Every structure is written in C-alpha cells, then in structure tokens.
C-alpha cells in the first residue's frame, strides 16, 4: 500500500510540473517573439479583451436566433482581423495567426 501511494504521489508531482502556462504568459511570450512595441502590445491586449467580451455578448444575446449567432460571430471575427492587421505588420500578423492555429490543434 505504501509503495502504491508513493507511485501515485510521484506521478501526480511529475504531471503538476508540466502544467501548461496561462494564456497571458503565452501571449506575452509570442508578443516578445513578434517584437511588439509597448504601445502595440497594449493595443493587442485591449483588442483581445474586447474580442472576448464581444464574442460572449453575441453568444449570450437572447435576441439572436440560434442560427444567427454563427453569422454574427463570423462577421465579428472579420472585424477583429481587420483591427489586428491595423496594429501588426504583415510578418507579425502571420506569426500571430500561426500562434492561434497552434493553440487550436487537438492535443494528442
């Protein structure tokens, strides 16, 4: 019993160390890779916050029928993309897109 408890404890300790970073830390690290200025970094943080609030509002809007939400979300995503392109250079925008795609990959 002691041996089994020891193994369980060691296994859980090793998994705790490989815990993924929180999203803000990940974003800040990619912003560093992108070499964003302090002003553009703040603009991107503001845009990310705006995006989260707007998507939640669309999803929770009782005035929208179920089939209208995806259309509204798609239109919003196009607007966010336009805003991102206004802040980022084409190279930075591509790095940002690649980063977003890597987050959406299913974990294996």
């Amino acid at each position: 019993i002691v041996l089994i408890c020891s193994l369980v404890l060691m296994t859980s300790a090793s998994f705790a160390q490989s815990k993924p970073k929180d999203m803000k830390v990940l974003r800040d690290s990619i912003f560093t890779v992108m070499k964003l200025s302090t002003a553009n970094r703040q603009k991107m943080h503001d845009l990310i916050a705006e995006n989260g609030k707007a998507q939640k509002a669309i999803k929770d809007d009782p005035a929208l029928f179920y089939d209208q939400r995806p259309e509204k979300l798609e239109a919003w995503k196009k607007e966010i993309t336009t805003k991102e392109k206004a802040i980022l250079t084409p190279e930075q925008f591509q790095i940002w897109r690649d980063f977003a795609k890597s987050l959406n990959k299913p974990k294996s």
Side-chain angles (χ1 to χ4, degrees):
I1 293 175
V2 172
L3 180 63
I4 291 173
C5 289
S6 298
L7 287 173
V8 169
L9 190 61
M10 287 188 295
T11 304
S12 63
S14 66
F15 281 118
Q17 293 173 357
S18 63
K19 187 171 108 178
K21 297 178 183 178
D22 73 0
M23 190 53 68
K24 184 169 179 3
V25 172
L26 285 173
R27 280 195 309 255
D28 283 344
S29 67
I30 198 68
F31 290 166
T32 301
V33 169
M34 293 164 59
K35 297 180 175 125
L36 284 183
S37 67
T38 304
N40 283 350
R41 188 179 289 246
Q42 186 59 50
K43 288 178 186 177
M44 286 298 292
H45 278 294
D46 294 345
L47 188 60
I48 290 164
E50 177 187 351
N51 184 32
K53 289 177 187 173
Q55 284 195 29
K56 181 169 178 14
I58 292 169
K59 290 175 184 174
D60 295 343
D61 188 349
L64 293 175
F65 290 108
Y66 181 76
D67 60 339
Q68 292 174 315
R69 288 187 180 121
E71 295 170 12
K72 188 102 173 177
L73 281 170
E74 192 60 37
W76 174 249
K77 287 178 184 177
K78 287 179 183 176
E79 187 176 332
I80 282 294
T81 299
T82 302
K83 290 179 179 184
E84 288 171 344
K85 286 181 177 180
I87 297 169
L88 305 172
T89 67
E91 295 81 17
Q92 290 170 334
F93 180 76
Q94 189 57 52
I95 294 169
W96 181 242
R97 283 293 151 187
D98 292 344
F99 169 72
K101 286 178 187 174
S102 74
L103 292 178
N104 292 331
K105 285 185 182 174
K107 306 282 187 248
S108 52

